[in-house]
Amino acid sequence: MKLNDNEIESYLREIKQSIVNDCGTAIEAYWDKFSKDKISAGFFAIPRLLFPEVDGLGSFITGQPMRTGLNIKTYLEKVMSQIDPRYLEFSSFIAFIYRNGLLHQHQPKRF
């Protein structure tokens, strides 16, 4: 299914708002917990919230929504590398440890 420009813009706004709402709220809750009890909690929650969005955004680039690893790697290489060029070098590694480890198991893969 091909989306028109308005549908794409709407989808991107939804993703942005989801990240702000979900991640922002989680960060505030974790900071509050740490500030009160000095207990760090939810260490993996933010990546678990972000990586499905990265996958979805990457699928816009690849055109292959069923290729999760490729989508994450492509988004990191094409978009995030504009912020930090190290994403070009480490995109496959990040996709592997987070997608395969954190999203399908309890924690990222260990090396």
Side-chain angles (χ1 to χ4, degrees), residues 15-30 45-51 53:
I15 289 173
K16 180 180 179 182
Q17 193 60 54
S18 178
I19 290 171
V20 168
N21 290 349
D22 297 346
C23 295
T25 301
I27 290 169
E28 288 173 10
Y30 301 140
I46 302 304
R48 283 188 180 118
L49 293 168
L50 287 174
F51 271 87
E53 304 296 1

Side-chain angles (χ1 to χ4, degrees), residues 47-75:
R48 283 188 180 118
L49 293 168
L50 287 174
F51 271 87
E53 304 296 1
V54 171
D55 175 19
L57 292 167
S59 72
F60 272 111
I61 299 169
T62 68
Q64 300 183 56
M66 302 305 288
R67 301 280 312 272
T68 301
L70 175 66
N71 295 336
I72 292 169
K73 181 179 176 291
T74 301
Y75 186 81

Side-chain angles (χ1 to χ4, degrees), residues 38-103:
K38 301 299 183 225
I39 297 171
S40 64
F43 184 75
F44 298 134
I46 302 304
R48 283 188 180 118
L49 293 168
L50 287 174
F51 271 87
E53 304 296 1
V54 171
D55 175 19
L57 292 167
S59 72
F60 272 111
I61 299 169
T62 68
Q64 300 183 56
M66 302 305 288
R67 301 280 312 272
T68 301
L70 175 66
N71 295 336
I72 292 169
K73 181 179 176 291
T74 301
Y75 186 81
L76 295 176
E77 288 176 353
K78 300 225 182 252
V79 177
M80 295 305 294
S81 69
Q82 294 177 32
I83 297 167
D84 187 331
R86 290 179 291 180
Y87 281 103
L88 287 169
E89 183 178 355
F90 295 109
S91 63
S92 293
F93 180 74
I94 291 169
F96 178 73
I97 63 168
Y98 279 99
R99 178 192 174 267
N100 294 329
L102 182 58
L103 297 181

